[in-house]
Amino acid sequence: MRSDDAARPIPPGSVIGVLGGGQLGRMLALDAARLGYRCRIFEPAEGCPASHVADHVAASWDDRQALSAFAAGVDVVTLEFENVPVEAVDFLSGLKPVRPGGEALKIAQDRALEKAFLNKAGVETAPWAEVSHVEELNAALERLGRPAVLKTARFGYDGKGQAVIRAGDNPAQAWAAVQGQRSVLEGFVAFSLEVSVIAARTPTGDIRCYEPVENRHRDGILHKTLAPAPIDADVAERAVETACKVISSMEYVGLLAVEMFVMPDGRVLANEIAPRPHNSGHWTIDGCVTSQFEQTVRAICGLPLGETTRLGAVEMENLIGDEVERWPELLAEPNASLHLYGKAETRPGRKMGHVTRVRPGA
């Protein structure tokens, strides 16, 4: 694609192809429709949440014929799920602009590549080591100390594919817990809180960030997000600078979430990146001038980025598993906005929806 083509906006009335059919694709399609765009979802699973609100192609990621037909019906392609095979993204990139593209996806899919990229970009992380067998794990523990966290290099999320190694623990048991997969060992850092920053970048390099928010987890899954994060202004500025550095270093187009640890001394350590809208950005739907989903549309289509001003003090609470059965009381709660994802089956640990509470003026 020529540079002048990349800079040309994709106007309302166009079709956005979305790779992945979960709740992020569902919310993206809803906000895209408000701006006059249609969405087309590529997702192997029938009846996915996004299929309720947009056209849906149900085919395998390695079905080149289906991918070609999908590309023929869209104007730009984006991600709502980072475990899309890179091969599918690279194939689509030869047919239509994919924003973000395969290189960003490769980095986000592999914790070792991710941490190496962050460090090369001048972004500090927790101490870490790549390990491919138990002997390397033992050597890494000698260097990094205990406690430490062993995480599979690929396909781990919401606390899955992880094992904590404490003093006295047998490393072989942790290695068995990750099923002997290539992994990353992270040295323990006594952080004060976890924050994230959502950043957006257009094809012409314009960047806009949302302010840092605090993320509170329960059983390894995000439970609540609080905006603003309870941190000093200089720490917030460092967090935003970190997100800007990451998204600029990748020459990224689209929306990127950067999760970080805030240390007691005010340092900010990058933890993970996500090349898509993010659970910790759901507060923006009701609590911000421009939601993260609208911002995604603006970024990938080359439109002016939206204002990120917060509308008050915001709390976003995930509804995990059977917590979704609280929907009657949540609908009756003043100043609460309920978002249900339309998932047919309720399972423990599954994100079924979220509720947002906004205190204007706070």
Side-chain angles (χ1 to χ4, degrees), residues 199-221:
R201 185 177 182 273
T202 68
T204 56
D206 294 332
I207 296 174
R208 186 159 291 188
C209 293
Y210 293 85
E211 66 183 289
V213 295
E214 180 185 3
N215 297 321
R216 297 180 179 178
H217 293 78
R218 186 179 64 190
D219 300 326
I221 302 173

Side-chain angles (χ1 to χ4, degrees), residues 193 195 197 212 229-242 260-269:
L193 70 163
V195 301
V197 173
I231 53 179
D232 292 339
D234 61 326
V235 177
E237 185 177 349
R238 278 195 289 277
V240 170
E241 287 173 353
T242 296
M260 302 170 235
F261 297 134
V262 176
M263 303 299 290
D265 61 4
R267 287 182 302 139
V268 173
L269 308 182

Side-chain angles (χ1 to χ4, degrees), residues 112-196:
L113 291 178
E114 179 183 62
K115 292 185 183 300
F117 164 78
L118 290 169
N119 293 159
K120 185 177 180 181
V123 173
E124 189 177 2
T125 62
W128 65 281
E130 183 176 355
V131 294
S132 298
H133 49 77
V134 71
E135 290 78 11
E136 284 186 346
L137 173 58
N138 287 326
L141 283 167
E142 287 294 322
R143 295 197 308 273
L144 301 181
R146 305 185 189 206
V149 183
L150 185 66
K151 300 179 179 180
T152 55
R154 294 173 61 82
F155 304 125
Y157 64 95
D158 285 347
K160 299 177 176 66
Q162 299 185 17
V164 178
I165 306 174
R166 298 181 174 86
D169 288 347
N170 184 349
Q173 291 180 335
W175 189 244
V178 299
Q179 300 179 326
Q181 298 182 64
R182 186 175 65 88
S183 298
V184 165
L185 183 72
E186 295 180 4
F188 179 78
V189 289
F191 59 90
S192 299
L193 70 163
E194 181 189 296
V195 301
S196 59

Side-chain angles (χ1 to χ4, degrees), residues 58 154 223 288 359:
R154 294 173 61 82
H223 175 47
C288 208
R359 287 191 293 115

